[in-house]
Amino acid sequence: MEKTSTDVFPSTMNSSENQETVCIFGTGDFGRSLALKMLQCDYSIVFGSRNPHKSSLLPSGAEVFSYSEAAQKSDIVIIAVHREHYDFLKELTEVLKGKILVDISNNLKINQYPESNAEYLAQLVPGAHVVKAFNTISAWALQSGALDANRQAMAKTEDPFSTSTAWLYDSYIALGILGFFLFVLLGITSLPSVSNTVNWREFRFVQSKLGYMTLILCTAHTMVYGGKRFLSPSSLRWYLPSAYVIALIIPCTVLVIKFILILPCIDKILTQIRQGWERNSKPTSNGQYLKQSSIHLDSQL
């Protein structure tokens, strides 16, 4: 089977020496994720599967064979199958003799079995060297690479003290502090013991004017957090927006509607309506409209 290099997240270390081949029993989520990371580090990966011809979604560059064939190609075998399916290892006792078996499994319950999975594996294959590893890492962590600090540090080319981006960090902190301060002030004035001591104008100013100011500061704080990545398609994982982008939908909608309502042409009409203004409801004989208050209309009814 011809091998091709992986085209996802190119490796950050290129060694001229041939790396050791690693065998992985199992083509599940964890086995595929671990194989992808090892391929990025220029390791040669072979999979062992009970149905090698039906295995799919494997990382580019990996080969898949039967359990016996895959075990013969490597001295390190990672067991990425559940304990309930360890029985096939009894038939590979001679093939696995002297090899290193890496147990990555975890039981669903504490004290589920009288012995640990590694001890059980050592009993099934007495001639192999059993070690425990990778059982504290999830397949999702391997796929996302969020904790891959060494690669992040090597790929980092931006100067943290650059003046072109320093104002973003300062603005982010300043907007967050101001927004949080006003948010706390709004919460304090909402308390009954405080709201009863202020008049209507003061309460309306705090809840309306300062309320919108708080919303603007907090929205700007989140926008500055995204910076250049705010609407960049390259920063979208799985082509889905980030959490901070989704959180901006409602506040931005509110601010846009508020901006429309404070336009002079609309604000003037809304102010007249709040002051009791009504449209002319009935035309007179000379074609003019007569204003009628709500009290007169109620009396006619």
Side-chain angles (χ1 to χ4, degrees):
M1 182 179 296
E2 184 179 357
K3 296 172 60 177
T4 58
S5 60
T6 179
D7 54 357
V8 182
F9 299 113
S11 174
T12 57
M13 50 177 297
N14 296 319
S15 175
S16 58
E17 300 179 359
N18 294 328
Q19 297 289 348
E20 188 174 4
T21 300
V22 177
C23 173
I24 300 178
F25 282 179
T27 57
D29 292 339
F30 192 91
R32 295 196 303 266
S33 302
L34 185 59
L36 178 60
K37 286 297 182 183
M38 289 187 171
L39 284 169
Q40 292 172 6
C41 296
D42 295 335
Y43 280 88
S44 178
I45 300 297
V46 293
F47 279 100
S49 174
R50 55 186 174 182
N51 297 315
H53 301 291
K54 296 183 179 180
S55 301
S56 59
L57 301 177
L58 297 180
S60 177
E63 297 179 293
V64 57
F65 302 95
S66 64
Y67 289 128
S68 178
E69 293 175 337
Q72 294 175 4
K73 295 179 178 295
S74 175
D75 293 331
I76 301 177
V77 180
I78 300 176
I79 310 298
V81 297
H82 293 284
R83 172 174 173 152
E84 292 77 9
H85 306 292
Y86 279 1
D87 294 337
F88 74 93
L89 296 173
K90 297 178 180 179
E91 303 174 359
L92 304 176
T93 304
E94 293 299 325
V95 179
L96 297 177
K97 187 175 182 181
K99 297 183 181 294
I100 300 176
L101 301 185
V102 182
D103 175 34
I104 65 171
S105 61
N106 288 316
N107 294 326
L108 297 178
K109 299 179 181 179
I110 300 177
N111 299 326
Q112 184 175 359
Y113 300 101
E115 69 281 330
S116 66
N117 293 348
E119 292 174 337
Y120 179 67
L121 187 60
Q123 294 174 7
L124 291 178
V125 190
H129 306 285
V130 179
V131 297
K132 190 79 172 180
F134 303 119
N135 63 311
T136 60
I137 306 175
S138 65
W140 167 248
L142 289 172
Q143 292 174 4
S144 61
L147 301 180
D148 199 357
N150 59 325
R151 290 184 57 205
Q152 293 177 6
M154 296 181 65
K156 185 69 173 178
T157 58
E158 182 180 352
D159 184 7
F161 300 101
S162 176
T163 56
S164 60
T165 58
W167 68 272
L168 284 175
Y169 302 110
D170 295 340
S171 301
Y172 169 72
I173 296 175
L175 291 172
I177 294 175
L178 291 175
F180 180 75
F181 172 75
L182 294 181
F183 184 78
V184 173
L185 181 61
L186 288 174
I188 294 175
T189 54
S190 300
L191 297 175
S193 58
V194 179
S195 61
N196 293 334
T197 59
V198 297
N199 56 38
W200 178 81
R201 288 183 177 275
E202 295 172 343
F203 183 80
R204 184 174 179 272
F205 171 79
V206 172
Q207 296 296 324
S208 179
K209 301 298 189 296
L210 290 185
Y212 282 110
M213 181 59 66
T214 304
L215 184 61
I216 292 174
L217 291 175
C218 294
T219 303
H221 168 74
T222 309
M223 288 183 174
V224 174
Y225 170 77
K228 299 179 181 179
R229 305 170 300 165
F230 183 66
L231 294 178
S232 177
S234 60
S235 63
L236 303 180
R237 187 179 296 276
W238 309 114
Y239 297 98
L240 295 177
S242 302
Y244 64 88
V245 176
I246 298 177
L248 287 174
I249 295 178
I250 295 180
C252 288
T253 304
V254 173
L255 292 176
V256 170
I257 296 175
K258 178 61 177 178
F259 176 77
I260 296 175
L261 294 179
I262 64 176
L263 293 176
C265 57
I266 299 178
D267 182 66
K268 181 179 179 181
I269 298 176
L270 294 178
T271 302
Q272 291 177 349
I273 293 175
R274 286 196 295 264
Q275 293 175 353
W277 176 84
E278 296 180 358
R279 290 180 179 271
N280 295 329
S281 57
K282 289 185 179 181
T284 59
S285 59
N286 57 2
Q288 296 181 351
Y289 285 85
L290 178 66
K291 280 190 177 181
Q292 293 184 346
S293 65
S294 58
I295 300 177
H296 294 159
L297 292 175
D298 292 341
S299 61
Q300 293 179 3
L301 296 175

